[in-house]
Amino acid sequence: MSRRPSRRAILRMGGALAAAPLASAVLPRHAFADDGPVKRLICVFSPNGMCMPAWTPPEEGEDLFLSPTLAPLEDFRDRALVLSGLNNLPIAPTPPDASFHARGTAGWLTGRSVRRSGTDLRNGISLDQRIAQRVGDATRLRSLELGVPVWAPPMCDMGYSCVYLSAISWAGPATPLPKLVEPRQAVELLFGATTRPQDDQQAWESGMDRVLAAASDRVGGLSSGLSPADAARLGAYRDGLGAVRESLAAPPCADSPDRLAELATICTDGPECTPDIVRAMTDLTVAAMACDQTRVATLMLGDSLLPRYMPFVNDLQDDHHSLSHREVPGWQEGLEAIDRWTMEQVAYLLEQLEAHPGSNGGTLLDETVVLFGSEFSDGWQHSPRDIPTLLVGGPVGLTGHWHMEGRPLADLHLGLLRGFGINEVQFGDDGTQAIDVLL
């Protein structure tokens, strides 16, 4: 058995919505290079910070002593890692700018200081998208971005584009990836054909047969007089047409049509629907992973700053943002209840990953890194210090609670990149010494 590193050793650890192309979408998995065991990433974001006294575990060490907020993770505490003392200082605005929420949300996975503008966006590529660049060609979707509807008028943060509040996935400095917020949209994206009525499905398949047959006949008419190299290319194209038809005819990797139809009709009428929507989006994230539709996903449990009413938690009547600002009586009890509900949703995600077989012989959880966090720690102070950070999953090679003594959050992102085989010398504005936590 290998010896676990000490906290001092950990602190020293350091180092110097686009779909895949058609061929990647339809070729069987064995057509892609095997880079070793499959690894997956799911990033879960919760807005408005956390009530840190109830979040932070009471002791340091490899045995995780669960705090009141983290108690729902009891069944996974031997595979969970809480890192405290991680700072994301690039998100801190320069006075008199006070747009903590926009900068914090957009910078959670990028480690960048974003540009204050309503139209001229500037951020960096996010952690999930950098990993999607690495692993996305092996799946139909490079990545999946899901969230929850906002039942409030649009609101921006002090001269910053509203998109900074609603997007954590960035494919480039000016390319935020919009999230799907209705389960119906996600069902159609992932398993659209399986939700059609049977007659419509048969007509659709018949039409596709005619299209593919016509394409194959046209290819046959071009075959005479070709050089050997061109003939080989044409043969590969013909094989590709066959792979398309085989892919369309194959039984869908998904739950039953009835279950998909149920997910597609989840209530989206108001805040009271949030629990059902979160569970549906969680189920669809897991289904996408189980079917290898994607290996990278983000799930936003809410947008920052905007009023977020959660009456299903202890019958709370005040919105999450107001509670986080300590503006109403009972704010602490309300925040702790919301935070615990949030971790119950994370526990549900872990349970579903554990219940599904993976591609490496174990479960999906065995090959998935789940990263949870928020845009800052204390919602009242909007602090970019001590960002709440949790990692769970088989590839996570360290467990327990460890204090990072002010290390940049981007150092963790740099370490996660290395765990996925991406060797960068810097990530974000201040990530230069990787915190390596993945096997």
Side-chain angles (χ1 to χ4, degrees), residues 18 38 53 84 86 111 134 162 188 215 229 271 283 296 301 303-304 324 341 378 388 408:
V38 169
S84 58
L86 286 173
R134 167 74 176 180
C162 295
E188 284 292 329
D283 289 344
V296 177
L301 300 181
D303 285 12
S304 185
S324 72
W341 177 85
D378 184 275

Side-chain angles (χ1 to χ4, degrees), residues 358-382:
S359 58
N360 299 330
T363 70
L364 275 180
L365 186 58
D366 292 333
E367 58 194 42
T368 302
V369 179
V370 176
L371 171 66
F372 172 85
S374 188
E375 73 265 45
F376 35 64
S377 53
D378 184 275
W380 180 45
Q381 297 177 337
H382 300 102

